[in-house]
Amino acid sequence: MVQQTTLDMTVRAELMAERIAARAAQPDLREMVLNVWSLIKRDCHVEQVMDEVKATLTRGEPYWDICCVLAAYAELCRPDRYLEIGVRQGRSAAVVAAIHPEVELFLFDMWYPDYAGVPNPGPNFVREQLQAVGHCGQVHFVTGRSQETVPAFFAAESQSRQMQLITVDGDHRDEGAMRDLQNVADHLAPGGMLVFDDITHPKYPTLHQTWKTFLAAHSNWSIRENVRDGTGTAIAIKPG
Ligand SMILES: C[S@@+](CC[C@H](N)C(=O)[O-])C[C@H]1O[C@@H](n2cnc3c(N)ncnc32)[C@H](O)[C@@H]1O
């Protein structure tokens, strides 16, 4: 009986991972993401990704990235709470907020000045981005180094405040990324989705191995990875 339940949970997680990856790749979902980005202030990086995404639609090519999987999960699962490590100008958080406006957001960033060569203005700017896409849920900003702020946040919270959706897209150094992944893993709700970005980013050639090492301790989670598009994105669904 116990074995059967475990099997059921694993099968459900596998089905969910398949459903999210399939939905993330659909052209109309990409159109939805582009529509969200058309509502926010965009730096040169977002403009460049928009051009790339539009080109995949014109050429009829498959494509999915961090924002596509976030959009798919927000649409299909309507999470109560979303935690994001690495917010920058709010591009990815805005996608979740636009598709599920009531979602409660927990946004962690140290607002590294001029991250990737463009301004990284911080919470007030991101708040405006979220308002621009119609977010009406609560939003909590936690400023500081995530390897310290995330454990402190959860130490101060009750166990019941698990997150259905979590993105780790902050510190891209192996040690920092691993600590972020480990610090959120227990706080992902059963059936929830963890998103890890940039697994094929040429600037971070060992990040994919960091993700694989993390997964070795979570071998029953259902994984999908896209190493074909953009800078590579991975998702993991926790059984439940
Ligand atoms: C790649 S950007 C996030 C992009 C965003 N998720 C998106 O898709 O548009 C990374 C962000 O992580 C932040 N960051 C980097 N290292 C960090 C750390 N150790 N703690 C907290 N934030 C960090 C940077 O300030 C930057 O805003």
Side-chain angles (χ1 to χ4, degrees), residues 29-112:
L29 186 121
R30 254 172 280 164
E31 300 275 12
M32 197 156 73
V33 170
L34 287 168
N35 279 339
V36 175
W37 290 342
S38 74
L39 300 173
I40 62 172
K41 291 187 183 137
R42 299 176 299 277
D43 62 25
C44 58
H45 298 299
V46 181
E47 293 286 358
Q48 189 187 334
V49 174
M50 282 181 88
D51 287 345
E52 284 166 19
V53 172
K54 284 177 191 165
T56 65
L57 290 169
T58 307
R59 296 195 292 258
E61 288 172 0
Y63 175 94
W64 60 266
D65 64 11
I66 172 178
C67 289
C68 297
V69 284
L70 288 173
Y73 193 92
E75 180 192 76
L76 294 172
C77 302
R78 306 190 70 73
D80 291 337
R81 298 188 194 93
Y82 171 49
L83 186 152
E84 186 171 273
I85 302 176
V87 181
R88 206 160 69 87
Q89 295 196 2
R91 175 194 73 136
S92 44
V95 168
V96 179
I99 292 169
H100 180 35
E102 296 84 17
V103 66
E104 187 172 4
L105 298 171
F106 300 84
L107 304 179
F108 291 74
D109 204 301
M110 62 189 293
W111 315 109
Y112 232 99

Side-chain angles (χ1 to χ4, degrees), residues 145-186:
R145 206 171 152 266
S146 58
Q147 292 76 25
E148 287 148 24
T149 56
V150 170
F153 169 80
F154 283 115
E157 294 287 322
S158 78
Q159 282 295 338
S160 63
R161 288 183 73 80
Q162 287 191 312
M163 307 285 159
Q164 290 85 24
L165 181 59
I166 297 179
T167 293
V168 172
D169 187 24
D171 192 340
H172 282 56
R173 293 166 301 179
D174 294 323
E175 196 188 326
M178 178 62 90
R179 287 202 32 213
D180 283 343
L181 289 167
Q182 290 169 337
N183 287 338
V184 297
D186 286 349

